[in-house]
Amino acid sequence: WLKFFFVCDDIVPQAAVMELQGKVWIGPDHPTHSWAVGTIVSHTDTVLKVKDDAGAEFEVARSGAQMVHASCEEGVGDLLTLGDFNEAALLHNIRVRYFKDEIYCGIGSPILISVNPYAVIDGLYGPETEKKFADAGEDAPPHIYTIAQASYAHLRSERSGQSILITGESGAGKTEATKRMLRYLANNAGSHGADPGSLSIEDQVVQSNPVLEAF
């Protein structure tokens, strides 16, 4: 389980309320999204009446309302660039990117969040995508290939062992992520079996995956 700790302003600015142009977070008990963006449509001294993107109306206590930063609505690749770093912003950002078929989000460079799409996304993997990430260097967007490439680059430059931790609940896609990452690393090694009948390093590494998952 992940627990988020955050600091925010408790009171929505009066100007935002009076102009009825502000947006606040609905949650953590929104019926479908846990947290959702709500647009202020009216208010009293104690309550903000808001609508979510589907048009459903909710009431948010003004004393505990949290304003929504514009960056939280767009969906950013690096969660550290969000205008607000709180539970609502993080979950909403991941959801926005997910529905754009952007299933990866980074937290800085060493941490990657992945959401299983349970579908094939064109161009997400494959030789052409691998080459793009191998050539992109530090400018690459969040992806398992970015993590694999960084690990491989450090392995070569530092001449020391590297570790990649892939974790998640059952069905999160750990096995698929491991296979894709191992294939990327094997392909970048550029080495193949010396004998025509022998397995390439790529095949050997990928076939070792069940053994690795047993530990």
Side-chain angles (χ1 to χ4, degrees), residues 134-213:
D135 296 339
E138 296 181 356
D139 297 328
H143 196 286
I144 56 172
Y145 290 166
T146 306
I147 300 296
Q149 179 61 31
S151 178
Y152 181 60
H154 283 100
L155 177 68
R156 298 195 62 178
S157 62
E158 299 175 6
R159 300 291 180 179
S160 61
Q162 304 292 311
S163 298
I164 300 173
L165 176 63
I166 301 177
T167 184
E169 64 183 5
S170 178
K174 300 183 297 296
T175 299
E176 185 65 20
T178 301
K179 290 179 179 178
R180 296 288 183 180
M181 192 171 290
L182 289 174
R183 188 174 297 278
Y184 178 91
L185 292 169
N187 287 343
N188 271 272
S191 178
H192 302 276
D195 300 325
S198 64
L199 291 174
S200 67
I201 289 180
E202 173 190 345
D203 290 332
Q204 293 179 53
V205 171
V206 172
Q207 288 186 17
S208 71
N209 185 55
V211 177
L212 296 175
E213 287 200 10

Side-chain angles (χ1 to χ4, degrees), residues 84-136:
D84 290 325
F85 197 79
N86 55 47
E87 181 179 1
L90 266 63
L91 294 178
H92 183 74
N93 186 83
I94 292 170
R95 181 169 59 248
V96 168
R97 288 180 60 83
Y98 177 83
F99 285 113
K100 295 179 181 178
D101 286 341
E102 297 173 341
I103 64 171
Y104 296 112
C105 291
I107 304 180
S109 58
I111 302 175
L112 184 72
I113 297 175
S114 172
V115 182
N116 192 338
Y118 294 100
V120 175
I121 299 176
D122 292 338
L124 187 61
Y125 308 111
E128 292 184 3
T129 306
E130 288 183 11
K131 185 178 186 307
K132 180 181 73 174
F133 277 86
D135 296 339

